[in-house]
Amino acid sequence: MEVRVANVRKEFDRFPALHDVSLDIRSGELIALLGPSGSGKTTLLRLIAGLERPTRGKIFFGEEDASLKSIQERNVGFVFQHYALFRHMTVADNIGFGLKVRPGATRPPAEEIRRRASELLDFVQLSGLEKRYPAQLSGGQRQRVALARAMAIEPAVLLLDEPFGALDAQVRRELRRWLRDIHDTTGHTTIFVTHDQEEALELADRVVVMSQGRIEQVGTADEVYDTPNSPFVYGFIGDSSSLPARVEDGQVWLAERPIGLSAPDVPAGAATLFFRPHDVELLDGCGGCIAGTVVNSRRVAETRRVELEVGGDRQRVEIELPIDHAAANKSRIAFRPRKWKLFPRAD
Ligand SMILES: Nc1ncnc2c1ncn2[C@@H]1O[C@H](COP(=O)(O)OP(=O)(O)OP(=O)(O)O)[C@@H](O)[C@H]1O
Ligand SMILES: [Mg+2]
């Protein structure tokens, strides 16, 4: 099922949680909503589910305007981070719940519901646990039961709000791979919320980066990492360093000199220079480059993270050096970013 969010605004007591959000999700896509706390991810998911109504704008499921339809009419399955299983019900009854509460004519017979619950348990690799109660399962098992329950109704769209948020890193990684496999098998259109960028980049076909109630960028993992379209996305996805700069005569300047990067297509004026700390070239001398004094250095896995003070106004910037680089305190280091991007800045 395709989902189209068209110019949606959502206010809570006049507070705009979403501004003017538009998003096209293709049928069968696995989409991640990624952003810091409070950016509007859950709100957008709840609007798609039908748990909230837009203040303005519309939501389409396929060609149909679903904005005023209920959760049941939209036929969505969802798993929320704190949406616990029913504690007094067995695993099988939890999974069958969505089918059991259907109105008479559409409700499958009890035997069929049992069979379906059992199939789904196999599918989420928990065969034989039908009779257990949620309290007798591990956290990861519970999340898998919750997912089986969401899938039992054969949803048009599967919505997951930080489904693995409460689990430890190891279990999260396993479930992540497992969710990708499940998605590839079932082909459900799936939208999941996370604030873990590794999870989003690894799992999703496309990532929707959100900030302050707005969508900043939509793209594949490669697109949002390699060609971020705003300072926010550059800073949020992956490691980044930035320095205040300016453009003059088609050259990038830091303080009072050019640093050997030409920017012929960028208008003259103030800008912020962004680059990845690992993507720098070390230089011996400094005719045109960035030079700084080491103020801090620490080992991170196989590289050395070095903090430099750059220029007269002592801007701090981080770069990554090979582990065998001494990077002694107060020593001078000259470098130039290999890949970089400038964003104009109001002075
Ligand atoms: N029912 C509500 N009433 C009032 N304000 C709300 C309500 N729900 C959300 N908000 C506000 O809307 C904004 C977006 O909230 P939302 O829950 O969508 O963020 P989020 O991106 O899911 O954050 P988190 O990562 O912390 O879950 C926040 O400022 C929040 O306080
Ligand atoms: Mg949330």
Side-chain angles (χ1 to χ4, degrees):
M1 178 68 77
E2 286 157 30
V3 177
R4 188 153 63 85
V5 177
N7 304 104
V8 163
R9 179 180 178 86
K10 177 64 184 176
E11 293 174 7
F12 294 107
D13 309 323
R14 299 266 178 84
F15 170 82
L18 290 179
H19 290 270
D20 180 23
V21 167
S22 294
L23 176 65
D24 283 357
I25 297 166
R26 299 175 202 126
S27 188
E29 235 183 341
L30 181 52
I31 287 277
L33 305 181
L34 173 69
S37 186
S39 55
K41 307 177 296 291
T42 295
T43 303
L44 181 54
L45 202 73
R46 288 172 61 84
L47 283 159
I48 295 172
L51 289 160
E52 302 281 355
R53 300 255 180 270
T55 307
R56 224 182 293 149
K58 288 188 170 166
I59 293 170
F60 294 88
F61 275 39
E63 294 299 307
E64 257 183 277
D65 183 355
S67 312
L68 298 175
K69 289 190 174 177
S70 68
I71 307 175
Q72 286 77 18
E73 287 167 327
R74 293 183 200 199
N75 194 31
V76 295
F78 53 86
V79 177
F80 286 139
Q81 179 178 356
H82 302 294
Y83 193 69
L85 297 170
F86 305 120
R87 279 180 11 216
H88 58 286
M89 281 187 203
T90 63
V91 164
D93 288 343
N94 262 287
I95 297 176
F97 182 78
L99 297 173
K100 205 170 154 196
V101 297
R102 279 191 178 165
T106 56
R107 185 192 320 134
E111 182 54 33
E112 166 71 16
I113 295 179
R114 249 196 311 279
R115 200 183 51 74
R116 178 119 190 91
S118 190
E119 256 175 33
L120 277 161
L121 262 187
D122 286 349
F123 191 58
V124 300
Q125 296 162 9
L126 293 174
S127 323
L129 298 192
E130 282 86 345
K131 297 215 163 66
R132 293 252 190 114
Y133 284 87
Q136 300 168 314
L137 302 174
S138 74
Q141 288 170 332
R142 271 181 229 157
Q143 287 310 91
R144 284 191 270 168
V145 173
L147 199 61
R149 180 173 65 182
M151 288 192 300
I153 58 163
E154 291 177 359
V157 182
L158 197 53
L159 304 171
L160 314 173
D161 193 353
E162 310 230 12
F164 313 135
L167 305 171
D168 70 48
Q170 171 82 25
V171 180
R172 280 178 83 117
R173 265 195 296 276
E174 280 167 26
L175 285 182
R176 199 188 291 171
R177 234 169 292 144
W178 169 86
L179 180 64
R180 180 78 235 184
D181 288 347
I182 292 227
H183 176 265
D184 290 347
T185 313
T186 62
H188 286 312
T189 305
T190 305
I191 307 168
F192 76 99
V193 166
T194 180
H195 57 247
D196 178 342
Q197 52 168 289
E198 196 184 304
E199 193 161 284
L201 297 179
E202 193 181 311
L203 199 51
D205 296 320
R206 286 191 303 158
V207 178
V208 176
V209 185
M210 297 183 66
S211 163
Q212 298 183 358
R214 291 194 168 81
I215 292 180
E216 289 272 332
Q217 187 167 1
V218 183
T220 62
D222 286 350
E223 284 163 356
V224 293
Y225 187 87
D226 292 333
T227 50
N229 66 3
S230 70
F232 175 81
V233 178
Y234 210 121
F236 189 67
I237 306 273
D239 289 330
S240 67
S241 284
S242 64
L243 281 169
R246 67 182 200 285
V247 178
E248 258 175 50
D249 309 326
Q251 291 288 315
V252 183
W253 291 56
L254 275 189
E256 61 290 337
R257 56 199 187 108
I259 54 172
L261 305 177
S262 66
D265 304 327
V266 182
T272 307
L273 174 71
F274 279 87
F275 57 92
R276 304 288 179 197
H278 68 266
D279 210 2
V280 298
E281 169 187 18
L282 286 186
L283 302 168
D284 289 336
C286 197
C289 69
I290 305 173
T293 308
V294 176
V295 288
N296 199 346
S297 152
R298 65 200 151 89
R299 182 185 177 137
V300 178
E302 292 307 309
T303 61
R304 199 171 292 288
R305 281 250 161 184
V306 177
E307 201 179 355
L308 301 174
E309 250 175 28
V310 174
D313 48 359
R314 297 190 171 177
Q315 292 288 335
R316 291 207 170 186
V317 72
E318 250 192 1
I319 59 171
E320 253 177 52
L321 300 179
I323 200 72
D324 54 7
H325 195 295
N329 234 3
K330 304 239 159 49
S331 62
R332 295 283 290 173
I333 288 181
F335 72 97
R336 196 181 288 145
R338 282 202 198 88
K339 264 199 248 146
W340 47 275
K341 177 135 174 125
L342 281 171
F343 291 102
R345 177 169 48 94
D347 234 351

